Amino acid sequence: MKVEIWSDVMCPFCYIGKRKFEKALSQFDKKNNIEIEWKSFQLDATIESQPNKTINEYLAERKGISAERAKQMNDQVTQMAAAEGLEYHLDKAVVANSFDAHQFVQFAKTKNKGNEAEEALFKAYFTDSKNISSHNLLLELAASIGLNTDELKNALQQNLFADKVKQDIYEASQIGVSGVPFFVFDNKYAVSGAQPSETFLQTLQHSFNEFKIEKK
């Protein structure tokens, strides 16, 4: 049974949601029968890479709030992440466009490494404060998960996976996705946001039971 997850590398709740879903999956006795597909989504497709701007400044401008309020929001998210065993350094995060990072994930998916690519990107962005729009970084991450860097370099230079990214974003708009993470179970049941692990586990069990009946 397939679980599709729409996500943006820059979305702090997406990394948290990934951990909560993984916790639920680890408790699911039929986990070996679950196929996970990461789908591209951009919270802000117009964002320009601005290494000299802080995330607090970017968030304040985007939401029309004070930098102090933006910092409070990011501090709260950092605490939420810590509760899931994640280390966020949002004060050092690099403002960057995520489109090429999504191309990297799409490339990795063709090698059955989509989940590894997603994890590497999240860690690079939230924990290691790396510029996820940098092709050099994407090549480093590719090498770290065993992918051919020459292939990826060519794919990025030629925008070979741009259409795949756009297709995922279009699909999201068609099913009414306005925020991420967004999980779709067996093309029928949706869970929006970084919900408690219990919610993911219940949805896994319910959707898989139906899936089994339909396959008989």
Side-chain angles (χ1 to χ4, degrees):
M1 187 187 82
K2 181 181 280 191
V3 178
E4 297 165 298
I5 310 171
W6 273 267
S7 165
D8 194 1
V9 182
M10 293 180 58
C11 165
F13 297 103
C14 290
Y15 202 6
I16 295 169
K18 184 176 188 290
R19 279 295 181 273
K20 289 186 173 186
F21 175 75
E22 287 169 345
K23 181 179 178 183
L25 192 62
S26 71
Q27 298 169 345
F28 184 54
D29 58 358
K30 296 289 190 285
K31 58 180 172 287
N32 293 334
N33 298 102
I34 302 299
E35 175 192 351
I36 297 167
E37 181 181 0
W38 288 92
K39 310 277 277 188
S40 301
F41 190 91
Q42 282 196 290
L43 290 170
D44 184 358
T46 65
I47 187 174
E48 295 180 6
S49 298
Q50 303 170 76
N52 296 322
K53 179 175 285 189
T54 70
I55 284 294
N56 291 338
E57 291 169 340
Y58 164 72
L59 187 63
E61 289 175 9
R62 186 165 184 259
K63 292 190 173 292
I65 58 178
S66 68
E68 183 181 359
R69 175 64 186 135
K71 183 180 184 306
Q72 288 174 348
M73 291 169 67
N74 281 329
D75 286 348
Q76 289 170 349
V77 173
T78 298
Q79 290 172 2
M80 288 175 62
E84 301 303 321
L86 298 172
E87 186 180 339
Y88 278 15
H89 297 291
L90 292 174
D91 54 323
K92 298 176 183 175
V94 179
V95 176
N97 191 292
S98 62
F99 191 86
D100 282 350
H102 284 298
Q103 287 206 79
F104 165 45
V105 174
Q106 295 287 348
F107 168 77
K109 280 164 61 172
T110 68
K111 314 294 184 182
N112 295 315
K113 294 265 188 173
N115 196 63
E116 291 86 344
E118 201 78 27
E119 180 69 28
L121 281 166
F122 279 140
K123 183 177 183 297
Y125 183 77
F126 290 107
T127 304
D128 300 333
S129 310
K130 301 291 187 181
N131 182 352
I132 49 96
S133 67
S134 162
H135 285 193
N136 285 338
L137 173 70
L138 298 178
L139 293 173
E140 280 178 33
L141 297 181
S144 75
I145 61 173
L147 294 176
N148 185 303
T149 54
D150 288 336
E151 277 188 62
L152 176 60
K153 185 176 183 179
N154 180 62
L156 292 171
Q157 288 175 342
Q158 304 292 326
N159 283 318
L160 297 183
F161 290 89
D163 286 345
K164 291 284 190 183
V165 175
K166 292 173 184 175
Q167 177 64 28
D168 280 357
I169 293 171
Y170 173 75
E171 283 180 25
S173 72
Q174 293 300 103
I175 62 174
V177 179
S178 58
V180 285
F182 194 86
F183 301 75
V184 175
F185 296 73
D186 195 27
N187 210 30
K188 290 199 298 186
Y189 297 103
V191 174
S192 179
Q195 299 295 330
S197 295
E198 293 78 15
T199 300
F200 288 123
L201 184 56
Q202 288 168 4
T203 310
L204 274 168
Q205 291 167 335
H206 181 72
S207 55
F208 191 77
N209 285 340
E210 287 194 5
F211 171 79
K212 281 195 304 182
I213 292 169
E214 289 169 3
K215 290 298 176 185
K216 284 183 178 178

